[in-house]
Each structure stands twice: as C-alpha cells, then as structure tokens.
Amino acid sequence: MSLCRFAPTRLSSMIVWLGLALASSASAAAPEAGKRGEARERFDRGLTLFNQGDNQGALAEFQRAYQLTGNVTVLYNIARVQAAVGEPVAALETLEQLLAAPGELPAARMAQLQALKQEQQQRVGTLTIRSSVAQGARVE
C-alpha cells in the first residue's frame, strides 16, 4: 500500500522535473534562434548594402553576422568586401582563416576562394629597407 501512496507523488515530481528540463532547453534554444534571426537579417542587409555600393556598411553587417554565427559563408563574404574596399592584407587574413576551417564549403566556392586569394596576393608586396645608420633611422 505504501507504494500506491508514493507512486502519484513520484509521478508528479517526475512530470515537474521533465517540465523544468524542457523549459530550460527551450529557453536555451530561444537565444540561439534569436541570434540566428539577427544574423540572417544582418547578412541580408549586408548583401543589400554591398549591391548598393556601400561596402563599409556591408562589411560591418557581415562582421556582426559572423560574430553571431561563425558561418563560413559569411566569412567568405567578409573577405570579398575587404577586397572590394582595397584592403588586400585584411582579405588575405580572412581567407587564411577560412581555409584553416572551411567547413562544408562546396567545391565551386572553394575555387572562388582560391581565385580571390591569388588576386589579393598580387596586391600585397614586401618592402625591404637597408640602412647604413645603426640607430635612429626614420622612414617616412
């Protein structure tokens, strides 16, 4: 008889525990869904700005979208915009970051990435300066 008396209590406590667990996972998923939604909006806004010629605005939107998601497609778009605004060193750094962890980029996108990298490498050079002055030399 004691089992019958405690069974409803155990069942109700298990239901409460299960409800709390589900509510906890649902509340944890809500911020993630909010982040994805914001990232999608920022990505779309970035594309619009890029197509309108506002590269700096597009870059800011893509960078925020990447902060929210870490999506490799967004990272590729960041590199494209950096190249478009004449920042080949930044574009190369972003492309290297992307190549280090390309995720599941399709082969066609990887080919575009390599072409963009080669194009940006042609815009970056090395300068070596030699001086007979041991200390106190200035380059202006």
Side-chain angles (χ1 to χ4, degrees), residues 56-77:
Q56 292 298 335
L59 184 58
E61 293 296 337
F62 287 147
Q63 287 172 331
R64 180 61 182 143
Y66 183 71
Q67 286 174 345
L68 291 167
T69 64
N71 184 297
V72 294
T73 299
V74 178
L75 195 58
Y76 173 74
N77 282 299

Side-chain angles (χ1 to χ4, degrees), residues 127-140:
L127 177 64
T128 303
I129 300 174
R130 296 174 198 244
S131 171
S132 60
V133 178
Q135 291 181 341
R138 271 179 56 169
V139 176
E140 294 186 28

Side-chain angles (χ1 to χ4, degrees), residues 48-100:
T48 300
L49 291 169
F50 183 74
N51 290 331
Q52 292 173 348
D54 182 359
N55 294 333
Q56 292 298 335
L59 184 58
E61 293 296 337
F62 287 147
Q63 287 172 331
R64 180 61 182 143
Y66 183 71
Q67 286 174 345
L68 291 167
T69 64
N71 184 297
V72 294
T73 299
V74 178
L75 195 58
Y76 173 74
N77 282 299
I78 289 171
R80 286 182 54 209
V81 175
Q82 288 169 328
V85 298
E87 297 179 6
V89 174
L92 283 170
E93 289 172 353
T94 302
L95 290 167
E96 289 297 328
Q97 181 182 352
L98 183 53
L99 285 169

Side-chain angles (χ1 to χ4, degrees), residues 7 21 31 33 42 45 81 98 103 114 121-122 126 129 136 140:
R42 288 184 175 273
R45 192 176 313 127
V81 175
L98 183 53
Q114 290 295 343
Q121 284 174 327
Q122 292 175 357
T126 302
I129 300 174
E140 294 186 28

Side-chain angles (χ1 to χ4, degrees), residues 104-121:
E104 296 180 14
L105 282 178
R109 183 56 53 96
M110 288 298 289
Q112 292 171 337
L113 189 152
Q114 290 295 343
L116 181 60
K117 182 179 176 190
Q118 288 175 353
E119 178 185 303
Q120 295 308 299
Q121 284 174 327

